[in-house]
Amino acid sequence: MKFTYCLNYFVFFWFVQFIVGCQHFVIAGTVSQWYFTRNKSKVRSPICNSFYNLIFFHLGTICLGSLMLTIIKLIRMVMRRVKARKVYINCQESDNIVLIALSYVYEFMMSLLEGIISFLNNNAYIVTAIDGLPLLLAGKRAVHLIFNNFGEHMASQTVGDLVIGSCKLFIFLPSFLVGIEMISSGLSLIVVLLLAILVSHVMMSTFETTVDTLFICYSIDSEENDGEERPYFMSENLIIAMVETKHLEPPKTPIEPQQV
């Protein structure tokens, strides 16, 4: 029974991470197909195409990435249970300062490792959706693209986090104020607030994935094309911003306006 209990936890966490990874892949595939199509009016069923690629070619990539993240989460959960039940030394009640410090260091390192794995998985899914690479090679290429365009990456992350945080606040705050005026029951108000948080998180996670995908597409575009013999896929405004940021020579040939 204990083994079955642990197995159910493992399968549940793996399934949740797998579904989130599939969502991330489909959004990335949809956005990248739009980005790398010069005539936007010719884009046909990008969501269906991305879902088809996921089902028939890249389920193993999502399974492996979600498995890695699930293992890290379960290790953290097991260690917390061990400490809580005093099966091992309970560092919180011990007078040994070294053990207490090691406990906090362990929790920090595991949370940091989980964040790194999650970050690499998300960007690897984007590269896989674009180039069709397996998980490890896609993660390596994603790290290469991010470090080669580190300044632009930090700028996009800063602006993206600001916009996402503001949007979440503008969704939650009106729901909270309207709920106080219209709902007298405390339990109903809590349900409304939880739904507002859930809706804002789902909407903004889609926006966040779109921003990350556009940055990876921009990095690949600027690395593989030069604007002359190999024209950029990016828009005219993005080319101008890249020229100003990277101090590159603008393309000598006139930029044809793209259809939106």
Side-chain angles (χ1 to χ4, degrees):
M1 292 302 298
K2 290 183 179 180
F3 173 77
T4 305
Y5 182 77
C6 296
L7 181 62
N8 285 329
Y9 262 111
F10 178 79
V11 173
F12 171 75
F13 282 120
W14 193 4
F15 181 75
V16 170
Q17 295 300 323
F18 176 79
I19 295 300
V20 172
C22 290
Q23 173 189 340
H24 201 92
F25 182 92
V26 171
I27 296 173
T30 303
V31 174
S32 61
Q33 182 178 346
W34 174 87
Y35 183 96
F36 288 109
T37 301
R38 299 191 185 278
N39 189 348
K40 308 304 181 186
S41 62
K42 294 184 179 180
V43 178
R44 294 289 183 268
S45 303
I47 298 178
C48 294
N49 293 335
S50 181
F51 190 75
Y52 176 86
N53 292 332
L54 169 67
I55 296 298
F56 289 96
F57 300 105
H58 300 297
L59 279 180
T61 298
I62 308 300
C63 286
L64 180 58
S66 58
L67 176 62
M68 294 168 58
L69 195 56
T70 301
I71 291 175
I72 299 298
K73 287 182 175 293
L74 285 180
I75 291 176
R76 293 185 63 189
M77 185 184 71
V78 168
M79 294 304 296
R80 287 176 181 174
R81 294 294 295 271
V82 166
K83 290 173 59 179
R85 295 194 175 191
K86 298 182 181 181
V87 178
Y88 193 64
I89 300 176
N90 192 336
C91 297
Q92 301 297 330
E93 297 180 358
S94 176
D95 295 331
N96 194 328
I97 300 179
V98 176
L99 290 179
I100 296 176
L102 289 177
S103 173
Y104 284 109
V105 169
Y106 162 78
E107 292 183 2
F108 172 76
M109 294 299 295
M110 292 303 296
S111 62
L112 182 62
L113 179 61
E114 182 179 344
I116 292 175
I117 295 297
S118 178
F119 174 79
L120 291 177
N121 277 350
N122 292 338
N123 288 279
Y125 295 156
I126 296 173
V127 175
T128 300
I130 298 173
D131 293 337
L133 297 175
L135 181 67
L136 298 181
L137 293 179
K140 181 179 179 181
R141 179 161 171 74
V143 171
H144 169 76
L145 292 171
I146 291 173
F147 275 97
N148 282 354
N149 303 272
F150 188 75
E152 292 85 347
H153 175 72
M154 293 302 299
S156 65
Q157 289 295 312
T158 302
V159 175
D161 291 342
L162 180 61
V163 173
I164 291 171
S166 302
C167 291
K168 287 183 177 180
L169 181 62
F170 284 132
I171 293 175
F172 174 78
L173 189 58
S175 302
F176 177 72
L177 296 177
V178 172
I180 291 178
E181 293 293 331
M182 299 183 60
I183 301 175
S184 58
S185 174
L187 181 61
S188 301
L189 180 60
I190 293 175
V191 172
V192 169
L193 295 181
L194 290 177
L195 289 176
I197 294 174
L198 178 63
V199 170
S200 63
H201 175 72
V202 171
M203 292 177 60
M204 292 303 104
S205 63
T206 302
F207 178 80
E208 185 176 5
T209 304
T210 302
V211 172
D212 293 340
T213 304
L214 288 175
F215 171 77
I216 295 295
C217 291
Y218 156 77
S219 301
I220 295 176
D221 192 13
S222 60
E223 183 181 79
E224 296 182 352
N225 301 309
D226 56 6
E228 299 295 336
E229 297 180 357
R230 301 183 300 276
Y232 293 120
F233 286 92
M234 63 186 77
S235 64
E236 180 179 354
N237 292 331
L238 188 55
I239 292 178
I240 295 174
M242 184 189 71
V243 169
E244 293 177 352
T245 302
K246 292 191 171 184
H247 306 287
L248 299 180
E249 292 293 332
K252 298 178 181 179
T253 57
I255 303 171
E256 297 181 358
Q258 297 185 3
Q259 298 182 9
V260 178

